[in-house]
Coordinates of all heavy atoms in Angstrom, one line a residue:
E36 N 105.1 8.8 64.1 CA 105.0 7.3 64.3 C 103.9 6.7 63.5 O 102.6 7.1 63.8 CB 104.9 6.9 65.7 CG 104.6 5.5 66.0 CD 105.3 4.4 65.4 OE1 106.6 4.4 65.5 OE2 104.8 3.7 64.5
K52 N 73.4 15.2 69.0 CA 73.5 15.4 67.7 C 74.6 14.7 66.9 O 75.7 14.8 67.3 CB 73.6 17.0 67.3 CG 73.0 17.4 66.0 CD 72.8 18.9 66.0 CE 72.7 19.2 64.5 NZ 72.6 20.6 64.3
I74 N 97.5 -3.2 59.0 CA 96.7 -2.9 60.2 C 95.4 -3.8 59.9 O 94.7 -3.8 59.1 CB 96.3 -1.4 60.1 CG1 97.5 -0.6 60.0 CG2 95.3 -1.0 61.2 CD1 98.5 -0.7 61.2
V79 N 87.1 1.9 68.6 CA 87.0 3.2 69.0 C 86.0 3.1 70.3 O 85.1 2.4 70.3 CB 86.3 4.1 68.1 CG1 86.3 5.7 68.7 CG2 87.1 4.1 66.8
E96 N 87.2 -3.6 60.9 CA 88.1 -4.5 60.5 C 88.5 -4.4 59.0 O 87.7 -4.1 58.2 CB 87.4 -5.9 60.7 CG 88.5 -7.0 60.8 CD 88.0 -8.0 61.8 OE1 87.0 -8.0 62.5 OE2 88.7 -9.1 61.9
G101 N 95.9 -8.3 50.0 CA 96.5 -8.9 48.9 C 96.6 -10.4 48.9 O 97.5 -11.1 48.2

Side-chain angles (χ1 to χ4, degrees):
E36 168 51 61
K52 197 164 174 194
I74 301 303
V79 184
E96 198 142 359

